[in-house]
Amino acid sequence: MSEPHTVAVVALEGVVPSDLSNPVDTFGWARLPDGRPAYRVRVCGTEPGAEVTAGPFTVRVGYGLAALAGADTVVLCGVDEPPDPLPPGVREAVRGAYDRGARVASICTGAFLLAATGLLDGQRATTHWLGAAELARRYPAITVDPEVLYIDNGRTLTSAGVSAGLDLCLHMIRGDFGAAVAADVARMVVSPLERDGGQAQFINHEPPVPGGASLEPLLAWLRENAHRELTLADMADRAALSARTLNRRFREQTGTTPLRWLQRTRVRRAQYLLESTDRPVERIAADVGCGSPAAFRDSFKRVVGVSPRAYRDAFRSPER
């Protein structure tokens, strides 16, 4: 009889409680068709018995970093303030597990921990949308995508916010043991096995630019003039920069390009109007500067992951 797949869930100081409980419960509830546990879950810290703060309470872990040596999967949970550098031994333990064939996944801001190991260099990654720009700034070798729920690169996987971490765990279970096992777990956690769209539909505004960022005056101007037809040349002229320099600074400070930032700004405004007004989609398209209704629908779905009508149905204010 084969041994269960071992999952080492790493909880460092300041661990986000839901980021810790999601993988522990989701993998812990998985059962094979004969009723045996599909996974062995171990909660690990820097040393066995270590106590870590987890929001309003304290967690005592059962295992230290040495347990990662025997793990098939390592999950790095999000923390309130990602440490830089990592605590002693964490980078070596995670990379050692990876080098021995383990896959390494992150939940929410756990992407910062995974990025600090160097294992995400040259790959796509995601994290909670509020931290995406900072992740891109700190780790320019990573292509950060703030719009998706999770990204699977094979043996490195990252997820967005709390519920997206659950989506990633179900995705891994399905890959390990098939859709039937994953569906049983999804029923246990009262969650769909797959969700439409990405985390973009939950973003109410652009991630904040780091304090003192040189682009803030330009961003304020773009927000006020997003309804106008603007080109990259218009933006560069306003910023008194070359188009090449503007592109570079946008990537450094926002994690994306000027035109994509403008497109998202228009879509965010459209989201607000869909939630709070009865305006037809065609009028909203014109109001936010997205061009024809067809172009607006394509742009909206590309950014948010669902159609304008589906978004309005899901997020419309109940009093309207």
Side-chain angles (χ1 to χ4, degrees):
M1 185 177 296
S2 61
E3 290 292 314
H5 181 118
T6 300
V7 179
V9 181
V10 179
L12 301 182
E13 177 62 24
V15 65
V16 177
S18 53
D19 289 357
L20 173 59
S21 63
N22 261 348
V24 170
D25 287 343
T26 307
F27 288 114
W29 281 330
R31 291 293 182 272
L32 300 176
D34 61 7
R36 288 182 296 123
Y39 298 92
R40 177 194 294 119
V41 181
R42 292 172 172 167
V43 179
C44 307
T46 53
E47 59 184 29
E51 292 188 348
V52 295
T53 301
F57 52 87
T58 300
V59 174
R60 178 174 294 175
V61 303
Y63 298 85
L65 294 173
L68 273 62
D72 302 295
T73 295
V74 175
V75 178
L76 299 173
C77 302
V79 292
D80 289 333
E81 296 292 337
D84 185 16
L86 292 173
V90 173
R91 183 180 188 275
E92 294 75 14
V94 174
R95 289 191 66 100
Y98 181 86
D99 290 343
R100 284 185 290 272
R103 69 183 170 198
V104 184
S106 64
I107 308 294
C108 197
T109 56
F112 284 83
L113 310 181
L114 182 50
T117 69
L119 292 175
L120 288 176
D121 288 357
Q123 300 191 46
R124 288 176 65 235
T126 193
T127 187
H128 193 287
W129 59 271
L130 276 173
E134 177 63 12
L135 184 65
R137 187 192 67 80
R138 286 197 201 180
Y139 303 100
I142 300 170
T143 301
V144 179
D145 186 346
E147 299 179 358
V148 297
L149 295 174
Y150 59 83
I151 292 174
D152 182 350
N153 292 313
R155 288 204 297 125
T156 58
L157 306 92
T158 54
S159 63
V162 175
S163 58
L166 175 59
D167 294 323
L168 178 59
C169 291
L170 291 171
H171 169 75
M172 288 190 281
I173 293 171
R174 180 172 51 193
D176 292 339
F177 299 106
V181 172
D184 283 341
V185 178
R187 282 190 285 270
M188 286 291 293
V189 298
V190 196
S191 173
L193 188 54
E194 293 186 41
R195 283 194 288 162
D196 290 334
Q199 71 166 324
Q201 62 187 295
F202 301 103
I203 301 174
N204 290 326
H205 51 79
E206 284 297 321
V209 176
S214 62
L215 287 179
E216 186 52 46
L218 175 63
L219 301 185
W221 181 81
L222 287 174
R223 292 186 190 100
E224 294 175 0
N225 294 275
H227 61 283
R228 295 172 48 197
E229 185 176 339
L230 297 173
T231 66
L232 180 60
D234 294 329
M235 299 182 209
D237 287 344
R238 179 73 186 187
L241 298 170
S242 69
R244 181 176 180 179
T245 299
L246 181 63
N247 266 317
R248 177 174 56 79
R249 292 191 183 175
F250 248 86
R251 179 68 67 179
E252 291 172 351
Q253 296 181 27
T254 71
T256 189
T257 67
L259 291 175
R260 287 190 70 187
W261 192 94
L262 178 61
Q263 180 190 54
R264 291 178 188 170
T265 297
R266 289 167 169 163
V267 169
R268 302 301 170 231
R269 175 62 179 167
Q271 286 177 282
Y272 171 76
L273 295 175
L274 287 166
E275 295 170 17
S276 60
T277 75
D278 295 320
R279 297 181 199 176
V281 169
E282 292 76 11
R283 180 180 168 189
I284 290 176
D287 288 346
V288 301
C290 277
S292 71
F296 168 62
R297 290 186 177 92
D298 288 344
S299 179
F300 190 94
K301 188 164 186 178
R302 185 163 55 250
V303 172
V304 180
V306 294
S307 70
R309 183 177 298 277
Y311 182 87
R312 171 171 269 170
D313 290 343
F315 291 96
R316 186 182 183 83
S317 300
E319 66 273 13
R320 295 199 62 83

